[in-house]
Amino acid sequence: MITGEGKARVVEREAEQGRDEQAVADFVERFAAELASAGMGRMPSRLFSCLMAEESGVLTSAELSERLRISPAAVSGGMRYLIQIGLAAKEREPGSRRDRYRVLNDVWFESLTRRDEYLLRWVRVLRDGEATVGAGTVAGARLGESAAFFAFMVDELHGMLARWRVHREGLGPGALPGAGAGAGSDPA
């Protein structure tokens, strides 16, 4: 439950930002439900959605805990997962010992950029597996086709990301909220 002091901060934030915090909270839960239905854990989904909806893209553990009405342990575990898969970063709050969590402005680009590393490792392992079980066997053919599929995906992913960079440049300043505001990474 949000304390009196916490409610005052919510009302203050709402007035400053001119947004309906209940509508934002509803969005966070809707987006989290979509992420969870795609296979992400419920708690990491809620944490990621909350960070995505935050104007600065940065919140402390206490702020996440308060907004989502969850324990600090739930924040810690969920954020550990999000950091591991590259959807969030942990940083030290300036002048403090408190950690804060950040979602990068171009999080999807960054996430997909890192995926090719995994896919390339899978290609190598699958090709080794094909040779191990025998290229002329049914299992070898299955492993070889899987390796070929992931190699194709890596090539397509590189092309798609290059096209996104060009497309994003064409959107111009102001078309992407927060672009150039220093609240995330630059995709170039």
Side-chain angles (χ1 to χ4, degrees):
M1 174 163 215
I2 298 178
T3 64
E5 183 180 318
K7 284 181 186 178
R9 282 196 308 267
V10 168
V11 169
E12 181 181 311
R13 201 172 55 241
E14 193 171 313
E16 287 173 4
Q17 296 175 353
R19 67 187 204 169
D20 179 346
E21 289 298 319
Q22 184 57 54
V24 172
D26 291 344
F27 161 76
V28 165
E29 295 303 329
R30 275 195 330 270
F31 187 42
E34 291 298 324
L35 293 171
S37 73
M40 185 184 287
R42 178 168 152 62
M43 195 55 61
S45 295
R46 293 182 73 214
L47 290 161
F48 180 72
S49 297
C50 190
L51 283 171
M52 288 286 287
E54 174 60 29
E55 186 68 18
S56 67
V58 179
L59 291 167
T60 65
S61 178
E63 290 168 329
L64 285 162
S65 182
E66 180 181 298
R67 289 190 189 178
L68 297 173
R69 297 182 180 114
I70 58 176
S71 72
V75 172
S76 178
M79 290 309 302
R80 189 170 31 257
Y81 172 78
L82 291 173
I83 291 165
Q84 180 184 5
I85 64 170
L87 292 180
K90 182 179 179 179
E91 57 191 37
R92 183 71 63 188
E93 192 171 89
S96 169
R97 288 193 222 169
R98 294 188 335 172
D99 289 326
R100 60 187 191 175
Y101 300 101
R102 171 183 299 279
V103 65
L104 302 176
N105 278 340
D106 211 357
V107 67
W108 303 114
F109 178 90
E110 294 295 329
S111 177
L112 287 174
T113 299
R114 282 193 267 325
R115 293 295 174 254
D116 73 334
E117 297 168 19
Y118 294 111
L119 294 175
L120 287 171
R121 289 195 325 237
W122 293 358
V123 168
R124 284 191 299 275
V125 170
L126 287 165
R127 287 190 176 139
D128 287 348
E130 177 185 19
T132 299
V133 301
T137 66
V138 173
R142 183 170 41 249
L143 294 171
E145 183 176 343
S146 295
F149 173 78
F150 287 122
F152 174 82
M153 291 299 297
V154 167
D155 288 343
E156 290 298 306
L157 182 59
H158 289 173
M160 180 184 68
L161 293 174
R163 288 189 302 278
W164 166 248
R165 281 191 213 106
V166 170
H167 178 77
R168 185 174 195 254
E169 290 294 320
L171 293 175
L176 297 171
S185 68
D186 181 19

